[in-house]
Amino acid sequence: MALRPEPTAPFHSVQYALRVLETVSKYGDDGVTRARIARETGLPAGHLAPLLLTLRREGYVEEVDDGAYAVGASLLLLGSGAARRQALEGRLQNTLAELRDAIGAAVYLSRYADGEVSVVQVADGPLTPAVNEWVDFRSAAHASAAGKCLLAQLDHDARRDHVSRHRPARLTSRTITDEKILFSQLDAQAATVPVLDLQEYAVGTVCAAVPLTAGSSAGCLALSLPIEDAHRLRSAAETLSRRAAPVLLALAL
């Protein structure tokens, strides 16, 4: 599977975060000062300060004596094997739950792997119910925000392969079934702009998704809202995009 070359919105923030974590890891329990981190990473203070705040909030670094920073508990947990997978899933689920509560919508982490769309993790609740999967998401990539977001990250041949196996079916009156129109919209989709589903997958539900491309893997974060909350969709999608970096960082580690 080949991906389109565009970086996703939080991509550069994650690159910076990885550089900071590499620097902090070198200094062990004694920690390293913010000034030295800035010198070794080359990051300006305007980028470094909010980045360190995010890394502290996510538990990847902790502040020790004299304002120095050391490796945090979340990073230590990400070792190897089953323990690493369990720690990563727990970290991702906590992050998704925080996003759900901040946005007031069900939140989904999806990936495109082995030629199929899969919803990896979901954070929903009594006040933020998940969308009813009345048609298998694997067969509805052309209609769902998450599916279209994943397809937008693929090159033309990978998309053609997908739709040859999952022919676009009309799920609602708004569903795009014409392959040329669908591909044209995907080509025009900017990586920094959320993908929307305005009752294309299910009547009564609107959704938005933002890309999470880590290495050769296509992924995305998505949210769903009932139609009566459609007026909140764009602002919710913008919040989702702004807060996607911790999820991408966890996937990149």
Side-chain angles (χ1 to χ4, degrees):
M1 179 188 71
L3 302 182
R4 295 172 67 188
E6 306 137 322
T8 60
F11 178 77
H12 295 298
S13 294
V14 171
Q15 283 189 316
Y16 297 153
L18 292 174
R19 284 159 59 182
V20 170
L21 291 177
E22 288 173 359
T23 301
V24 172
S25 297
K26 291 192 305 183
Y27 288 88
D29 294 338
D30 292 335
V32 56
T33 65
R34 182 181 298 188
R36 182 171 291 276
I37 295 172
R39 287 198 299 272
E40 295 196 14
T41 61
L43 296 179
H47 282 101
L48 184 57
L51 188 54
L52 284 170
L53 183 62
T54 296
L55 291 174
R56 284 182 60 195
R57 184 175 63 242
E58 296 296 320
Y60 292 117
V61 302
E62 60 182 25
E63 193 168 3
V64 295
D65 294 339
D66 301 323
Y69 292 86
V71 170
S74 292
L75 193 59
L76 291 172
L77 283 173
L78 299 179
S80 61
R84 182 188 186 280
R85 289 194 299 272
Q86 185 175 7
L88 177 57
E89 289 175 1
R91 168 54 55 188
L92 285 172
Q93 193 63 39
N94 288 339
T95 301
L96 294 180
E98 291 172 0
L99 279 171
R100 174 201 63 203
D101 295 342
I103 298 172
V107 177
Y108 313 78
L109 174 63
S110 298
R111 286 177 174 167
Y112 194 88
D114 300 322
E116 300 293 351
V117 172
S118 64
V119 178
V120 181
Q121 288 179 252
V122 180
D124 59 355
L127 300 179
T128 54
V131 64
N132 175 35
E133 189 179 354
W134 75 284
V135 174
D136 193 321
F137 288 138
R138 292 175 297 179
S139 302
H142 64 291
S144 68
K148 289 189 293 180
C149 189
L150 293 171
L151 292 179
Q153 296 173 59
L154 308 183
D155 66 14
H156 186 78
D157 290 341
R159 289 181 199 160
R160 288 295 302 273
D161 173 71
H162 183 88
V163 298
S164 71
R165 291 180 290 106
H166 299 287
R167 302 305 301 176
R170 187 170 301 281
L171 306 183
T172 76
S173 63
R174 295 174 176 266
T175 306
I176 298 172
T177 58
D178 186 288
E179 182 179 310
K180 290 183 178 180
I181 296 176
L182 176 64
F183 283 15
S184 177
Q185 288 194 1
L186 295 177
D187 285 332
Q189 181 68 40
T192 55
V193 178
V195 180
L196 302 182
D197 157 18
L198 305 177
Q199 300 189 92
E200 295 171 50
Y201 172 76
V203 175
T205 302
V206 294
C207 305
V210 296
L212 292 177
T213 303
S216 61
S217 176
C220 74
L221 272 178
L223 65 88
S224 64
L225 289 168
I227 189 62
E228 55 265 28
D229 290 335
H231 62 282
R232 295 203 295 113
L233 182 62
R234 291 190 182 276
S235 62
E238 290 170 359
T239 301
L240 190 73
S241 182
R242 287 197 306 271
R243 299 186 59 170
V247 179
L248 184 53
L249 178 59
L251 295 173
L253 289 172

